[in-house]
């Protein structure tokens, strides 16, 4: 991996760490572990629709954090 991709990954990890615990878990389950919205809901004890909304909100917050954290993402 290039130095730029290492820096981008570090910026992403930092941005995720700034999210709420629920948002961190939703991002991890849905996008890093590749689970379905239904699985995210089951694991987080929420409905599938609530899990979809949580993932959407988590991504929105992550985009805000990334925008202020790095020029690489």
């Amino acid at each position: 991996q290039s130095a730029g991709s290492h820096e981008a990954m570090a910026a992403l990890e930092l941005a995720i760490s700034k999210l709420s615990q629920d948002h961190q878990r939703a991002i991890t389950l849905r996008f890093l572990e590749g689970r379905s919205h239904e699985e995210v809901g089951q694991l987080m004890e929420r409905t599938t629709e609530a899990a979809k909304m949580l993932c959407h909100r988590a991504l929105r917050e992550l985009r805000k954090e990334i925008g202020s954290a790095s020029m690489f993402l």
Side-chain angles (χ1 to χ4, degrees), residues 1-69:
Q1 290 184 346
S2 70
S5 64
H6 284 294
E7 289 179 36
M9 184 56 80
L12 180 59
E13 289 172 358
L14 177 62
I16 291 172
S17 75
K18 292 181 178 182
L19 301 177
S20 70
Q21 291 292 326
D22 278 349
H23 285 175
Q24 287 181 37
R25 188 155 187 231
I27 292 287
T28 299
L29 292 171
R30 178 75 177 119
F31 301 104
L32 300 180
E33 294 182 12
R35 296 181 184 266
S36 68
H37 286 116
E38 184 177 356
E39 290 174 311
V40 173
Q42 289 172 351
L43 291 167
M44 295 186 73
E45 298 180 354
R46 297 172 188 246
T47 65
T48 299
E49 287 302 313
K52 284 181 186 179
M53 185 58 77
L54 184 63
C55 290
H56 173 76
R57 290 179 179 150
L59 276 179
R60 184 179 62 215
E61 291 302 311
L62 184 59
R63 284 185 188 108
K64 287 181 190 176
E65 287 297 333
I66 289 171
S68 65

